[in-house]
Amino acid sequence: DGGITQSPKYLFRKEGQNVTLSCEQNLNHDAMYWYRQDPGQGLRLIYYSQIVNDFQKGDIAEGYSVSREKKESFPLTVTSAQKNPTAFYLCASSSGTGVGQPQHFGDGTRLSIL
Amino acid sequence: AQSVTQLDSQVPVFEEAPVELRCNYSSSVSVYLFWYVQYPNQGLQLLLKYLSGSTLVESINGFEAEFNKSQTSFHLRKPSVHISDTAEYFCAVSFNAGNNRKLIWGLGTSLAVNP
């Protein structure tokens, strides 16, 4: 079955450490997205990519970095510059960024501070 | 500026009762509307969408939503809920404003179905 796989499901970060969240899709989608979800704040867009080797900042990109070297993969690195990284992170993809394209989501990674 | 408002953060309801989850948006351009559902510790799943045509759209599990352009609303309804409908529901609106194709999310409504 096609879908989006996020790993790990749970991740712990130490002070000053960078951590990388994995997102892989086999839907042959061009566009991929990273969201951060905090209780009561809905989904906030961190980064998105419309095509390989290109990505754009979302609303809360500070303290995060991404790469898009392959169509199937869009890893997110939470850097030590992100002072409040504890959250639920969701990766999504869509077949394009056209206005009618729904997004398909992975099951998320929950990041916590040790 | 475009915005999406889900009017209720929490909606408690008894099993087999009807429910309405409200969503209003603000936009000066054409919109496309979505409802997503999120079960605990999972990602979001598309529930239904309105792109064009009939203003009443239905999902396979008994939910429906009606696009009301004059009231700028896209409320989600179900005539009889089940315990398994307990989840977080998100309304999202897509706008086409030049090169900025953006999806705006509501803050979510937590539906709690009690026996």
Side-chain angles (χ1 to χ4, degrees):
Chain A
D1 287 338
I4 299 179
T5 301
Q6 289 188 243
S7 61
K9 194 169 180 66
Y10 300 95
L11 186 58
F12 298 91
R13 195 191 89 168
K14 296 179 181 178
E15 290 288 338
Q17 185 182 43
N18 293 354
V19 292
T20 297
L21 285 60
S22 171
C23 178
E24 303 278 333
Q25 55 101 356
N26 60 3
L27 298 167
N28 198 33
H29 284 172
D30 290 314
M32 297 187 75
Y33 312 81
W34 273 107
Y35 291 94
R36 172 179 171 141
Q37 186 176 24
D38 297 278
Q41 296 194 44
L43 276 71
R44 292 184 289 169
L45 183 64
I46 305 173
Y47 270 98
Y48 65 100
S49 168
Q50 298 182 57
I51 196 169
V52 174
N53 292 323
D54 184 56
F55 48 83
Q56 308 294 329
K57 292 182 179 180
D59 300 317
I60 55 163
E62 185 175 351
Y64 301 97
S65 66
V66 294
S67 63
R68 186 86 188 273
E69 297 177 0
K70 298 187 300 181
K71 187 175 184 178
E72 302 79 19
S73 179
F74 191 42
L76 173 74
T77 296
V78 184
T79 75
S80 57
Q82 173 50 247
K83 298 305 180 187
N84 183 24
T86 297
F88 191 49
Y89 291 86
L90 288 163
C91 179
S93 70
S94 65
S95 61
T97 54
V99 291
Q101 297 296 333
Q103 295 183 8
H104 301 255
F105 286 81
D107 280 339
T109 292
R110 190 167 297 279
L111 176 62
S112 302
I113 295 293
L114 278 178
Chain B
Q2 294 90 354
S3 65
V4 177
T5 302
Q6 291 185 241
L7 295 159
D8 306 291
S9 60
Q10 296 183 8
V11 174
V13 65
F14 287 109
E15 193 174 17
E16 298 183 5
V19 71
E20 178 180 78
L21 307 183
R22 297 179 292 169
C23 174
N24 284 89
Y25 66 91
S26 172
S27 174
S28 58
V29 298
S30 296
V31 298
Y32 303 85
L33 300 149
F34 306 85
W35 275 101
Y36 286 82
V37 59
Q38 183 181 31
Y39 299 103
N41 294 312
Q42 293 186 23
L44 280 69
Q45 302 172 32
L46 180 67
L47 192 56
L48 44 75
K49 62 183 178 182
Y50 170 79
L51 303 181
S52 64
S54 173
T55 57
L56 184 66
V57 290
E58 299 176 352
S59 73
I60 58 173
N61 58 354
F63 282 95
E64 64 179 31
E66 185 163 19
F67 170 51
N68 189 319
K69 188 175 182 179
S70 63
Q71 297 187 6
T72 60
S73 69
F74 191 53
H75 299 334
L76 182 69
R77 302 183 182 98
K78 189 170 185 179
S80 176
V81 294
H82 302 287
I83 297 287
S84 59
D85 292 324
T86 295
E88 190 87 12
Y89 292 80
F90 291 93
C91 178
V93 183
S94 183
F95 307 89
N96 192 2
N99 289 326
N100 184 19
R101 300 188 182 96
K102 200 170 181 181
L103 190 62
I104 308 293
W105 294 88
L107 296 182
T109 297
S110 178
L111 175 64
V113 181
N114 301 300

